[in-house]
Amino acid sequence: MEEGRFLQWGVFRSLLAILQWWGFNVTVIIMNKWIFQKLDFKFPLSVSCVHFICSSIGAYLVIKVLKLKPLIAVDPEDRWKRIFPMSFVFCINIVLGNVSLRYIPVSFMQTIKSFTPATTVFLQWLVWRKYFDRRIWASLVPIVGGILLTSVTELSFNMFGFCAALFGCLATSTKTILAESLLHGYKFDSINTVYYMAPFATMILAVPALLLEGNGVMDWFHAHPAPWAALIIIFSSGVLAFCLNFSIFYVIHSTTAVTFNVAGNLKVAVAVLISWLIFRNPISGLNAVGCGITLLGCTFYGYVRHMLSQQTPGTPRTPRTPRKKMELLPLVNNEKLDDKV
């Protein structure tokens, strides 16, 4: 009886964690698109900077004031040698995501973002000469095929937005790969990651945002009919972006890796559907098929990765013995944290 109740509570807790993660993630995406499209605030650097500021303040309150999470101590020297380079890539990743959202529909941007597993595997193979089982390569085929089909049939295609989203995938992959070496020895959760990286990202982005968009923001403020209400929406998106990081921490500790992978792909489908209902961007039949193929490919990729990680040495079709020392290095599974701010 008690075991049954405990199991039911575990399922309910996982479901609740996934739903609140979906809610924050989809809301942040829709709000950002609304800011760019409906509020006519076409300044992705400034929006990203607001998100970093809100996340820095939120992480400080959670760790230092409310003490909801213990602070993971980092040596001052490591903050500049390890955290700062990661923050730079983190900053580029977020900015490119917002730039792409400025120019292309949410559905197209989210589909391209699903290309991240393929870019991660390719970069590790090309740069680090890391070996991957052939089943990993095979699982990437539907992802690449779905992305190609979606791109070719996208009715609102914009080359600049497409390139920004694609380079955003590369930045996400680079961040994941660099975490293996730069953050070695530190077991960061999503809150501590934001605590250390968001202030650096704010510092990196503040000057470019001021120089490139400062005059435009001032002109927008004077021309907009209700600038203060619009600013409340913009800063609210920053607060929700921090809440998204907190929800990621909650869902990671409430679900298994397989559940997280499936829920992540379903979250993309939910975001695409809701964005279409709000913005009514045209989607062709083949475009929807391409998006579906990509999401199924991502789910299959996650399943293959999980199955290979569960294999013990000596089982049939175990990957061959690595020929290089680099091949012995495990892949740090930071893909769960790729939905940060």
Side-chain angles (χ1 to χ4, degrees):
M1 180 77 68
E2 292 182 357
E3 289 182 359
R5 290 179 178 176
F6 182 78
L7 180 61
Q8 290 178 353
W9 166 245
V11 173
F12 176 77
R13 184 169 179 262
S14 298
L15 182 60
L16 182 63
I18 290 172
L19 289 177
Q20 55 91 27
W21 174 47
W22 281 8
F24 282 123
N25 189 278
V26 174
T27 303
V28 169
I29 293 172
I30 298 300
M31 284 190 71
N32 286 351
K33 187 63 177 178
W34 185 276
I35 289 169
F36 294 133
Q37 185 169 320
K38 301 297 184 180
L39 298 183
D40 202 35
F41 190 84
K42 304 182 184 301
F43 309 105
L45 297 184
S46 300
V47 171
S48 301
C49 201
V50 168
H51 285 195
F52 291 143
I53 293 172
C54 292
S55 295
S56 300
I57 296 173
Y60 180 85
L61 291 175
V62 168
I63 292 178
K64 289 290 190 177
V65 179
L66 301 177
K67 299 186 183 302
L68 298 178
K69 278 293 298 176
L71 175 65
I72 298 176
V74 177
D75 186 79
E77 185 178 357
D78 283 344
R79 295 190 184 189
W80 289 99
K81 288 186 176 180
R82 298 190 180 191
I83 305 298
F84 184 79
M86 284 291 297
S87 302
F88 183 77
V89 180
F90 171 66
C91 179
I92 293 176
N93 176 33
I94 300 304
V95 169
L96 288 175
N98 282 329
V99 169
S100 66
L101 200 58
R102 157 78 172 80
Y103 290 98
I104 59 178
V106 172
S107 57
F108 191 31
M109 184 271 256
Q110 287 288 290
T111 304
I112 297 175
K113 190 177 179 181
S114 300
F115 194 54
T116 301
T119 57
T120 303
V121 170
F122 181 74
L123 283 178
Q124 287 200 312
W125 171 79
L126 180 66
V127 180
W128 278 265
R129 298 299 179 185
K130 186 177 178 65
Y131 166 78
F132 289 97
D133 188 276
R134 63 180 180 273
R135 284 167 284 182
I136 290 289
W137 291 105
S139 68
L140 298 178
V141 173
I143 298 178
V144 176
I147 293 291
L148 289 175
L149 180 59
T150 304
S151 302
V152 171
T153 59
E154 175 59 44
L155 300 177
S156 303
F157 185 85
N158 179 281
M159 180 57 72
F160 187 74
F162 171 77
C163 291
L166 193 59
F167 281 107
C169 291
L170 292 173
T172 301
S173 300
T174 303
K175 177 171 63 69
T176 301
I177 295 170
L178 287 179
E180 295 186 34
S181 56
L182 293 181
L183 299 185
H184 179 70
Y186 293 105
K187 296 182 179 180
F188 282 128
D189 53 63
S190 58
I191 304 301
N192 274 275
T193 300
V194 172
Y195 177 84
Y196 284 108
M197 291 188 184
F200 275 133
T202 304
M203 180 178 65
I204 293 169
L205 190 59
V207 174
L210 184 63
L211 294 177
L212 298 176
E213 298 180 348
N215 292 332
V217 171
M218 293 303 298
D219 293 338
W220 170 88
F221 183 83
H222 292 299
H224 198 278
W228 293 109
L231 286 176
I232 291 175
I233 295 175
I234 294 171
F235 277 91
S236 296
S237 72
V239 174
L240 290 175
F242 169 74
C243 293
L244 171 60
N245 286 276
F246 204 83
S247 70
I248 292 171
F249 165 77
Y250 183 43
V251 76
I252 286 175
H253 289 77
S254 303
T255 62
T256 63
V258 175
T259 302
F260 188 92
N261 175 58
V262 175
N265 293 313
L266 289 176
K267 173 197 60 132
V268 175
V270 171
V272 169
L273 177 61
I274 294 179
S275 69
W276 179 80
L277 291 174
I278 293 176
F279 299 105
R280 294 292 179 176
N281 56 287
I283 300 178
S284 66
L286 285 177
N287 189 262
V289 170
C291 180
I293 293 174
T294 302
L295 296 182
L296 289 176
C298 290
T299 304
F300 181 57
Y301 166 81
Y303 172 76
V304 171
R305 281 287 302 272
H306 176 73
M307 293 301 296
L308 291 177
S309 67
Q310 298 301 310
Q311 274 191 345
T312 55
T315 54
R317 300 185 69 180
T318 300
R320 63 165 175 79
T321 302
R323 292 178 299 190
K324 298 181 181 179
K325 185 178 180 180
M326 177 56 69
E327 297 179 8
L328 295 172
L329 295 177
L331 174 66
V332 176
N333 188 12
N334 283 334
E335 293 173 3
K336 287 185 176 182
L337 303 181
D338 284 341
D339 281 313
K340 286 189 178 69
V341 185

